[in-house]
Amino acid sequence: MPITRRKFFKVAAATGAGACAALTAPPQASAANRPADPGFGMLNDSTRCVGCKVCQVACKKVNELPAESTLGDGGRLFDSPRGLSDRTYTLVKMHRDEDSGEATFVKEQCMHCLDPACKSACLVLAFEREETGAVTWNSRKCMGCRYCMIACPYNVPQFEWHRAIPDISKCTLCHDTRLVHGQPTACAEVCPVDAITFGQRDELLRIARNRIAADPDRYDPHVYGEHEVGGTGVLYLTKPKVSFASLGLPPFGYKGVPRLTESIQHGIFKYFIPPVAIYAALGGIMAFNQRRNKLKGETEHE
């Protein structure tokens, strides 16, 4: 039966309404993904860190990572890495607060989020949050898309650009090397000033609050990571005059990063209705144009 202009627009309107309904329907996967048992983590107390970088060395040793180096006039010179990389999972850096001018050392590594953005973004489920609290990565599943690098709000996952068959590298909370054997993380074990405390996340929060209550002049009352991005396994304390932002810890909200994107992603691709609707609309436009051109051609030949 020939399609009229009015009929086509009726079909297009109905198709668009169906697509909108699919977009606005609440996706099942958008519920909070906070684990009942958050597992282990670490409390990094920046008021205690002296910048000795012993934790950095221990991390390289337990993960069998090579030293990063630069070439100088006298040959090969080894220096502290400038940032996290596929060869550096833990890094101690000095930051200076813009307002107070006070300098503080702080330890950087994977935050081991309770609701990991890297896991949510991974198309092949190469990332997993273990019962220990560690966020790990499976090389056998990874297809190298690097979506995890884009998704992570802390820019933690690193790509092995120098290898023909690259991996994604980051801190694993010593999951395979120590946690599964009942041992604490290597960095926490060697810290000479107790700036790194390892333990159950709930216990770490208790320790952090006790420190703040016992010495309120020493600490900012906020425990970073308790709620940020849905909660992290790695927590931080700072001085009252040193903001977390100045330590490289952005003031994220309390909502997990995956919760901000999944409702959109799952709504768009739920049952593939919108893509089908788009193709149906395009097909309708093509059919309408073809019929119009055919009728125009027949008219010209009469």
Side-chain angles (χ1 to χ4, degrees), residues 12-28:
T15 303
C20 292
L23 283 169
T24 56
Q28 297 296 320

PDB file of all heavy atoms in Angstrom, residues 12-28:
ATOM      1  N   ALA A  12       6.420   8.008  12.214  1.00  0.00           N
ATOM      2  CA  ALA A  12       7.624   8.599  12.795  1.00  0.00           C
ATOM      3  C   ALA A  12       7.359   9.105  14.204  1.00  0.00           C
ATOM      4  O   ALA A  12       8.186   8.953  15.105  1.00  0.00           O
ATOM      5  CB  ALA A  12       8.131   9.728  11.915  1.00  0.00           C
ATOM      6  N   ALA A  13       6.184   9.713  14.420  1.00  0.00           N
ATOM      7  CA  ALA A  13       5.847  10.226  15.747  1.00  0.00           C
ATOM      8  C   ALA A  13       5.703   9.095  16.749  1.00  0.00           C
ATOM      9  O   ALA A  13       6.170   9.178  17.883  1.00  0.00           O
ATOM     10  CB  ALA A  13       4.553  11.047  15.674  1.00  0.00           C
ATOM     11  N   ALA A  14       5.057   8.005  16.311  1.00  0.00           N
ATOM     12  CA  ALA A  14       4.887   6.857  17.205  1.00  0.00           C
ATOM     13  C   ALA A  14       6.229   6.229  17.544  1.00  0.00           C
ATOM     14  O   ALA A  14       6.481   5.823  18.675  1.00  0.00           O
ATOM     15  CB  ALA A  14       3.970   5.823  16.546  1.00  0.00           C
ATOM     16  N   THR A  15       7.100   6.153  16.541  1.00  0.00           N
ATOM     17  CA  THR A  15       8.436   5.596  16.768  1.00  0.00           C
ATOM     18  C   THR A  15       9.228   6.454  17.743  1.00  0.00           C
ATOM     19  O   THR A  15       9.891   5.954  18.647  1.00  0.00           O
ATOM     20  CB  THR A  15       9.208   5.495  15.440  1.00  0.00           C
ATOM     21  OG1 THR A  15       8.449   4.713  14.528  1.00  0.00           O
ATOM     22  CG2 THR A  15      10.569   4.842  15.651  1.00  0.00           C
ATOM     23  N   GLY A  16       9.161   7.780  17.563  1.00  0.00           N
ATOM     24  CA  GLY A  16       9.869   8.683  18.467  1.00  0.00           C
ATOM     25  C   GLY A  16       9.352   8.584  19.882  1.00  0.00           C
ATOM     26  O   GLY A  16      10.119   8.627  20.850  1.00  0.00           O
ATOM     27  N   ALA A  17       8.027   8.439  20.028  1.00  0.00           N
ATOM     28  CA  ALA A  17       7.451   8.301  21.367  1.00  0.00           C
ATOM     29  C   ALA A  17       7.947   7.034  22.043  1.00  0.00           C
ATOM     30  O   ALA A  17       8.251   7.016  23.238  1.00  0.00           O
ATOM     31  CB  ALA A  17       5.922   8.291  21.279  1.00  0.00           C
ATOM     32  N   GLY A  18       8.044   5.947  21.257  1.00  0.00           N
ATOM     33  CA  GLY A  18       8.556   4.698  21.821  1.00  0.00           C
ATOM     34  C   GLY A  18       9.996   4.837  22.260  1.00  0.00           C
ATOM     35  O   GLY A  18      10.406   4.317  23.301  1.00  0.00           O
ATOM     36  N   ALA A  19      10.777   5.542  21.450  1.00  0.00           N
ATOM     37  CA  ALA A  19      12.180   5.750  21.812  1.00  0.00           C
ATOM     38  C   ALA A  19      12.301   6.564  23.078  1.00  0.00           C
ATOM     39  O   ALA A  19      13.119   6.273  23.952  1.00  0.00           O
ATOM     40  CB  ALA A  19      12.914   6.446  20.667  1.00  0.00           C
ATOM     41  N   CYS A  20      11.487   7.604  23.209  1.00  0.00           N
ATOM     42  CA  CYS A  20      11.540   8.443  24.405  1.00  0.00           C
ATOM     43  C   CYS A  20      11.130   7.654  25.640  1.00  0.00           C
ATOM     44  O   CYS A  20      11.699   7.819  26.722  1.00  0.00           O
ATOM     45  CB  CYS A  20      10.627   9.659  24.265  1.00  0.00           C
ATOM     46  SG  CYS A  20      11.209  10.836  23.015  1.00  0.00           S
ATOM     47  N   ALA A  21      10.122   6.776  25.477  1.00  0.00           N
ATOM     48  CA  ALA A  21       9.700   5.952  26.603  1.00  0.00           C
ATOM     49  C   ALA A  21      10.823   5.056  27.072  1.00  0.00           C
ATOM     50  O   ALA A  21      11.028   4.840  28.259  1.00  0.00           O
ATOM     51  CB  ALA A  21       8.476   5.117  26.207  1.00  0.00           C
ATOM     52  N   ALA A  22      11.568   4.508  26.118  1.00  0.00           N
ATOM     53  CA  ALA A  22      12.691   3.639  26.479  1.00  0.00           C
ATOM     54  C   ALA A  22      13.776   4.421  27.195  1.00  0.00           C
ATOM     55  O   ALA A  22      14.433   3.929  28.101  1.00  0.00           O
ATOM     56  CB  ALA A  22      13.261   2.975  25.224  1.00  0.00           C
ATOM     57  N   LEU A  23      13.976   5.666  26.775  1.00  0.00           N
ATOM     58  CA  LEU A  23      15.021   6.492  27.393  1.00  0.00           C
ATOM     59  C   LEU A  23      14.668   6.878  28.816  1.00  0.00           C
ATOM     60  O   LEU A  23      15.532   6.961  29.679  1.00  0.00           O
ATOM     61  CB  LEU A  23      15.232   7.760  26.565  1.00  0.00           C
ATOM     62  CG  LEU A  23      16.025   7.590  25.276  1.00  0.00           C
ATOM     63  CD1 LEU A  23      15.923   8.853  24.455  1.00  0.00           C
ATOM     64  CD2 LEU A  23      17.476   7.257  25.561  1.00  0.00           C
ATOM     65  N   THR A  24      13.388   7.120  29.079  1.00  0.00           N
ATOM     66  CA  THR A  24      12.988   7.601  30.390  1.00  0.00           C
ATOM     67  C   THR A  24      12.678   6.477  31.356  1.00  0.00           C
ATOM     68  O   THR A  24      12.530   6.710  32.544  1.00  0.00           O
ATOM     69  CB  THR A  24      11.752   8.505  30.265  1.00  0.00           C
ATOM     70  OG1 THR A  24      10.700   7.798  29.594  1.00  0.00           O
ATOM     71  CG2 THR A  24      12.085   9.752  29.459  1.00  0.00           C
ATOM     72  N   ALA A  25      12.550   5.238  30.876  1.00  0.00           N
ATOM     73  CA  ALA A  25      12.263   4.123  31.769  1.00  0.00           C
ATOM     74  C   ALA A  25      13.430   3.909  32.722  1.00  0.00           C
ATOM     75  O   ALA A  25      14.579   3.937  32.320  1.00  0.00           O
ATOM     76  CB  ALA A  25      12.019   2.849  30.956  1.00  0.00           C
ATOM     77  N   PRO A  26      13.160   3.709  34.015  1.00  0.00           N
ATOM     78  CA  PRO A  26      14.251   3.538  34.976  1.00  0.00           C
ATOM     79  C   PRO A  26      14.970   2.225  34.750  1.00  0.00           C
ATOM     80  O   PRO A  26      14.382   1.161  34.878  1.00  0.00           O
ATOM     81  CB  PRO A  26      13.525   3.544  36.334  1.00  0.00           C
ATOM     82  CG  PRO A  26      12.120   3.139  36.018  1.00  0.00           C
ATOM     83  CD  PRO A  26      11.833   3.635  34.643  1.00  0.00           C
ATOM     84  N   PRO A  27      16.258   2.224  34.399  1.00  0.00           N
ATOM     85  CA  PRO A  27      16.998   1.000  34.166  1.00  0.00           C
ATOM     86  C   PRO A  27      17.226   0.232  35.452  1.00  0.00           C
ATOM     87  O   PRO A  27      17.445   0.808  36.509  1.00  0.00           O
ATOM     88  CB  PRO A  27      18.339   1.484  33.574  1.00  0.00           C
ATOM     89  CG  PRO A  27      18.473   2.880  34.061  1.00  0.00           C
ATOM     90  CD  PRO A  27      17.078   3.419  34.185  1.00  0.00           C
ATOM     91  N   GLN A  28      17.189  -1.096  35.371  1.00  0.00           N
ATOM     92  CA  GLN A  28      17.342  -1.940  36.534  1.00  0.00           C
ATOM     93  C   GLN A  28      18.735  -1.828  37.136  1.00  0.00           C
ATOM     94  O   GLN A  28      18.929  -2.032  38.323  1.00  0.00           O
ATOM     95  CB  GLN A  28      17.059  -3.403  36.155  1.00  0.00           C
ATOM     96  CG  GLN A  28      15.635  -3.636  35.678  1.00  0.00           C
ATOM     97  CD  GLN A  28      14.613  -3.371  36.766  1.00  0.00           C
ATOM     98  OE1 GLN A  28      14.832  -3.711  37.913  1.00  0.00           O
ATOM     99  NE2 GLN A  28      13.510  -2.754  36.403  1.00  0.00           N
TER     100      GLN A  28
END
